[in-house]
Every structure is written in C-alpha cells, then in structure tokens.
Amino acid sequence: MKRRVLAIAVACATLGVAVGAISVPTRSRAGIVASQNEIASKVGADVIRDGGTAVDAMVAVGFALAVTHPTAGNIGGGGFLVYRPASGQPVAYDFRETAPAKASPTMWMPGGKYDPQVHHNSYLAVGVPGTVAGLHLAWKEQGKLPWRRLVEPAIALARDGFVVSDGLSRSLRNVQRQMAKYPASVAQFTKNGVPYEPGEILKQPDLAKTLERIAASGPAGFYEGETAALIEKEMLANGGIISREDLKNYKAVKRTPVKGTYRGYEIIAMPPPTSGGVTMIEALNILEGYDLKKMGANSADAVHVMAESMKRAYADRAKYLGDPDFNPKMPVDMLLSKAHADELRKTISLKHTAPASPEKFDWPHESDETTHISIVDGNLNAASMTYTLEQGYGVKIVVPGAGFLLNNEMGDFNAGPGITTAQGLIGTEPNLTAPGKRMLSSMAPTILAKDGQLFMVTGSPGGRTIINTTLETIVGVLDFGLNAQEAVDAPRFHHQWLPDEINYERHGFSPDTLRALAQRGHALKEGGAQGVAQVIIYNAEDKVLEGGTDRRVPDGAAIAVPARK
Ligand code: DON
C-alpha cells in the first residue's frame, strides 16, 4: 500500500501536479457508478453486476436517488442524459420539464408587476415533470434488463426504509420550516413534526406505491391513471395549472449531442434546451489557444484566462440560448465553432480583465441543488446524467397520496417580456415562458472520447456554476494531469459574465494568487463549495476505470462494480 502511494506521489510529481491533495481514485475493470449517494451508487453497481448496461444502471440510480436523496433525486423533476455506447453513435435524452398549456410569458407579473414568489415558490412554479418519461425512453432504447428490475430497488428503499445519514438528517432539518405549510411534506419527511435523527429509518410508503405503479405500467404509471389524478387534484385545489392533459402530453426527446474537441479529445455534451454543452465547449475552444499546463494549475495566469473565457461564453449564453423548438434560429454552430472562439480570444488581454459589456443582461434565479451521476459499465458503455427539482426539495410540495416532491423549474424561465433590469431581472426573448416550452438550463452532463475510445465522464450540479465546474474537471485532467479523484478535489472558481467577478472556493487559492488576479482588475468574491462533480476516467493503458466522487458534500460514492454472483 505504502509503495503504491509513493508511486502515485512520484508519478504526480513527474507530471508537475500542483493542485490540492494527492488522492487515489476508485478503480475497477467491471464498471463504476459515481453519485451523490452511496446507497444509490450501490444500487447501480448491482445492476451492472447483474448484466445491465450503463443506462440500466442510470435508470436504477435515478429512481433510487428519488428515495434516498430527496433534495434533488426525483421523479417530479427533469434532466438530461448523455449516452455513449462503446460502439455506435452517442445520443442525448432531454427530459426537461415543460410549461403547462395554460402558461404565458406574463404569468410571473400578476397585476403587471414581477413577483418572485409566484415565479419560484408557488404551485405555478411547477413544470410538467420529465424524469419518468426520460428514464423510460433511455431504457427502451439502450437498456437490457427488465424495467421492473430497475425500479424495484427504489420501491424497496421507499417501502422498507433506509438509514438516515447525518447529512440527510441535517438537510431535512434545514428544510423543515419551508415545508411546514404542506402537510403531506411534513408527514413524509418528519416523524409527526419531529426531525429524523441520523441512524433512524425513513420509510416513504406513498412513494413506494407510486414507484410500484411506474414499475408495473412504465410512464403511464406516472402520467396517467392514479398518479396523474393525484397531481391534478393537488393543482386544482391550490391554484396550480398542470392538468392531466399536460401530463399525458409530456414527451421526452431524443436529441443529437453537441460536439467539440479540446486538445485532440472529443467532447460529447448536452444540446439546448440546456446551455451547458454549448457554453462549456465555447469556453474550452477559447482556452485551447493557451498553454494552461505551462501557466500551471491554480496560477493567476491560468485562472485569469479561464475566467475571461468563461465570461465571454456566458455572455453568449444569455444572448442566444433557449428551447430549440421555440428558437429555431439559435446560432449553435457559430457558438461551437473554433473561428468564433478565435475571435473572442483576440479580445482577451493577458494583463487585464476587460469590463463586462454594458448591455444589461442577467440570469433568472438558479439555486444550488441538483445532482449528477456518472456511470461506465464493464463494456465501456458510458452514461452521464444530471437531473433536478431546481431548488433543494423543489417547491417543497409532496403530492398528497403520491409521496413525491414537485419541482419549481418554471423559475428557470425569464421573468417576463421587456423587464430586463439593472437589478438582475431578464426579459429577453429566447427563454420567455410559453405553453409546452422547456426552460433554459445550465446542466452539462458530458462524455469525452479519444481516438474513438471512451476517455472521461463528468458533470455536476450547481446552477450556473455547473458549466464551469464541469469545465474545470476537464481542464484538471487534460491540462494539469490530475486523476479522476484529484480533478474532483481541485479548488474551483466561477465567472458568469455578470456580475463581473470571480467567485472562488474558500481555502482554494493562495493570497498571492488572489493579489495577482486583483492586479489584473478582477473583482474577487470568496464563497463556499462549488458543485458536486462525479468523474470517471478510462485509463486505456492499464485498461482500468478510475472514479472520483465529490467530498465537498456528505454521502457520495464512486462504487466499483462487484464481481458477478
Ligand atoms: O437547470 C438548471 O440549470 C437549474 N434548474 C439547475 C439547478 C441547480 O443546479 C441547482 N444545483 N445544484
């Protein structure tokens, strides 16, 4: 063991790694499942052990997280899944929530005045959920094991309960006040109003029944019949507008991933309606023109050019991106092109930051609760999925009798037409609310390949920081030579154009680095943890998978697939 640690230390020293601690990743030849919850990661690893594909495992993990990680795991939300089979074409599954038929661009301006409560924290804030349809579509096309086998572990966890961790206990305690006005939420997540202590068992019988309907009938078990009736009843009783028709009409969409290259590696990422893939590839294209390795990880030079690249890519994000079905003229090819990056790079000075353009754009509110899962099976099929309820525990409303939380994803639409303000509201066209429309996201599930072979799976939660966290894992591996765990551990920072500042993680950067950045004109803001990345790398030389899970939060795990029973 000692010798191995020494060998790794020597290898890292040779590579010139200068970031964070030296860490050992999880290693496996049979597959790795990395998620924010150990119980769910094990569920996924068992699916692969039993002969399932990476997508089979993702479906099982998706349902398990809806039980064991209720802050973001969900069946009442939505997300994106990118899949790269070991042979054949990569595909992307879009199961973003949609606006209900009765939605309108001005619905967040009752009486003509924008109301953030209605936009983010009301029954109107709930989008038509996509997760069940999305997982089912991916399974139908890429799965091998029976659907029921993949939902069953979640049913058992909901029905029989699971041990509440210290992290979950704290999280449930924190959200208690916001859930207080919803009796079904209080009933599900407290013991008659008393918070769960670590070590106690949390059972969710109504959720078990809903999952059972999904296991038996697929999406119809959610979008039709009893579950749909329970959702509609809750909506009608509380001024919500999601109808049974909206639910029945929901469709997950198969899309072609957006692609780019970075230093000879192929980037396969999620297309709009998330901005994640396009914005990240755009920033990487700009960065390709710099010798980041020479500048050095965490150096002021590297942070400067990375922040300047992020800033320019995020400005384009705000100007151009939204639901492609409603914005047919989005210039995605231009944004992804090396030529566009070359033009933007010309505007970057190595000596000084350029002030953000005076155009007044800002972003709709996005919170920091979502979750990412990276999975590779023993045949090197790779799946990368980020899904969310938007804020932690979504809108905090459990559907009575159905046992699952609803999202508040409608908050990702812009505030209303023509109300872009200096205070940060945005009223630009591409992401205004409209019936059936998908709200713009930042989620960026990503896969990298090299010479036709899988290389890396990555992604993270974190609202607008998602794009930069994911980018930093890629730069960490490709430019700075980090392994999967080190790339996750490395300190993070974020620039999103406006506000015109670099947010950096506490303890991550030395005072002299920060001073050197300030001298270049950067406003700097210290913050807490940024993102929760899950990374898997395929080491082709040793023919081994290496996984890293994010230890900024409790309960995550990159689990090696066990040998077949
Ligand atoms: O789709 C989005 O980009 C946001 N609704 C995601 C929210 C989020 O990531 C919060 N994260 N940790």
Side-chain angles (χ1 to χ4, degrees):
M1 181 64 195
K2 243 197 210 149
R3 214 186 308 149
R4 197 170 72 174
V5 172
L6 186 68
I8 290 163
V10 170
C12 290
T14 321
L15 285 169
V17 173
V19 182
I22 290 168
S23 311
V24 183
T26 297
R27 291 201 169 90
S28 169
R29 288 172 205 279
I32 290 183
V33 179
S35 88
Q36 217 173 320
N37 181 270
E38 185 174 4
I39 302 169
S41 290
K42 281 188 179 145
V43 163
D46 287 349
V47 165
I48 295 176
R49 176 204 60 201
D50 291 354
T53 65
V55 164
D56 284 321
M58 190 62 84
V59 171
V61 173
F63 283 118
L65 286 170
V67 182
T68 60
H69 186 64
T71 175
N74 70 80
I75 54 174
F80 303 106
L81 191 164
V82 176
Y83 182 59
R84 181 185 186 278
S87 57
Q89 287 307 310
V91 285
Y93 296 100
D94 163 2
F95 49 101
R96 184 67 161 168
E97 298 91 330
T98 53
K102 290 207 182 106
S104 78
T106 52
M107 67 188 285
W108 318 118
M109 306 163 69
K113 191 167 174 295
Y114 174 68
D115 185 337
Q117 275 298 107
V118 180
H119 194 188
H120 297 287
N121 199 11
S122 73
Y123 279 81
L124 291 177
V126 183
V128 182
T131 296
V132 176
L135 294 179
H136 192 266
L137 177 61
W139 166 79
K140 212 169 60 184
E141 297 198 345
Q142 315 291 348
K144 250 166 63 183
L145 295 189
W147 174 251
R148 172 169 277 284
R149 161 71 184 85
L150 309 179
V151 192
E152 245 160 19
I155 297 174
L157 286 162
R159 183 193 56 220
D160 306 335
F162 65 96
V163 177
V164 172
S165 67
D166 179 68
L168 179 57
S169 159
R170 281 166 194 266
S171 166
L172 288 174
R173 197 179 285 267
N174 286 341
V175 77
Q176 208 182 344
R177 198 178 45 80
Q178 290 165 279
M179 282 185 176
K181 55 182 171 184
Y182 306 114
S185 308
V186 175
Q188 180 140 334
F189 292 115
T190 67
K191 300 166 296 174
N192 292 319
V194 179
Y196 278 92
E197 295 296 331
E200 292 184 331
I201 304 290
L202 172 61
K203 295 184 183 180
Q204 300 171 78
D206 287 343
L207 178 56
K209 282 185 241 153
T210 298
L211 289 167
E212 179 52 51
R213 289 192 288 275
I214 293 168
S217 314
F222 184 88
Y223 294 96
E224 298 172 44
E226 188 172 348
T227 317
L230 290 168
I231 298 172
E232 190 182 56
K233 186 171 161 212
E234 179 68 355
M235 286 287 149
L236 286 174
N238 295 285
I241 53 173
I242 294 181
S243 67
R244 244 186 280 195
E245 278 301 295
D246 288 318
L247 291 163
K248 202 164 173 202
N249 289 339
Y250 182 85
K251 294 240 170 338
V253 180
K254 181 174 170 179
R255 298 192 188 272
T256 306
V258 287
K259 287 196 181 161
T261 58
Y262 184 64
R263 308 208 193 278
Y265 288 77
E266 185 188 14
I267 318 266
I268 302 154
M270 194 71 214
T274 184
S275 60
V278 173
T279 306
M280 186 185 65
I281 291 172
E282 185 176 338
L284 285 170
N285 281 340
I286 304 173
L287 282 174
E288 207 171 33
Y290 299 103
D291 191 343
L292 289 178
K293 187 174 173 184
K294 191 160 162 214
M295 291 175 175
N298 280 356
S299 65
D301 284 350
V303 174
H304 172 71
V305 292
M306 288 171 76
E308 291 297 299
S309 305
M310 292 167 180
K311 187 165 159 176
R312 283 154 178 80
Y314 273 72
D316 279 347
R317 171 196 192 268
K319 281 179 204 159
Y320 295 116
L321 298 178
D323 182 342
D325 298 340
F326 286 72
N327 297 284
K329 294 200 180 123
M330 274 190 308
V332 169
D333 290 343
M334 182 276 283
L335 295 174
L336 291 173
S337 71
K338 300 280 184 196
H340 182 58
D342 291 344
E343 287 307 308
L344 291 176
R345 200 180 309 109
K346 284 185 198 152
T347 69
I348 296 179
S349 152
L350 294 179
K351 297 212 171 75
H352 210 275
T353 180
S357 120
E359 292 163 89
K360 275 295 165 211
F361 280 104
D362 209 327
W363 287 266
H365 164 93
E366 289 168 288
S367 77
D368 53 2
E369 294 289 348
T370 288
T371 196
H372 179 81
I373 307 114
S374 293
I375 301 181
V376 181
D377 63 33
N379 296 319
L380 301 186
N381 302 301
S384 186
M385 177 171 95
T386 316
Y387 77 151
T388 187
L389 289 163
E390 159 56 358
Q391 293 177 334
Y393 302 94
V395 75
K396 298 8 174 222
I397 300 166
V398 165
V399 178
F404 67 88
L405 282 155
L406 292 167
N407 68 82
N408 56 348
E409 215 79 52
M410 296 287 278
D412 277 359
F413 279 119
N414 290 352
I419 55 167
T420 302
T421 70
Q423 287 71 42
L425 291 182
I426 179 163
T428 49
E429 179 65 30
N431 190 36
L432 286 175
T433 313
K437 190 171 177 179
R438 287 156 144 86
M439 56 296 280
L440 183 65
S441 171
S442 300
M443 291 189 275
T446 301
I447 299 176
L448 276 71
K450 170 86 169 146
D451 302 330
Q453 182 155 55
L454 174 70
F455 177 67
M456 180 172 174
V457 185
T458 181
S460 173
R464 276 160 278 167
T465 66
I466 288 173
I467 299 165
N468 291 332
T469 297
T470 307
L471 176 147
E472 285 162 20
T473 63
I474 294 171
V475 166
V477 171
L478 295 186
D479 289 295
F480 303 138
L482 305 184
N483 70 34
Q485 187 59 59
E486 291 163 348
V488 171
D489 293 344
R492 298 187 180 134
F493 61 92
H494 171 69
H495 200 307
Q496 58 174 38
W497 185 39
L498 292 171
D500 191 0
E501 65 191 15
I502 297 176
N503 281 262
Y504 63 93
E505 284 186 322
R506 195 167 50 242
H507 311 310
F509 299 88
S510 74
D512 5 8
T513 306
L514 296 174
R515 258 195 307 276
L517 286 165
Q519 274 161 10
R520 286 175 167 86
H522 289 286
L524 296 158
K525 191 163 162 201
E526 184 180 274
Q530 174 185 317
V532 187
Q534 312 292 338
V535 171
I536 302 173
I537 291 173
Y538 180 58
N539 178 337
E541 209 168 297
D542 296 344
K543 296 199 170 31
V544 72
L545 293 163
E546 302 181 342
T549 194
D550 209 318
R551 296 177 288 201
R552 288 165 176 78
V553 293
D555 300 336
I559 301 272
V561 171
R564 250 192 128 141
K565 270 185 197 160

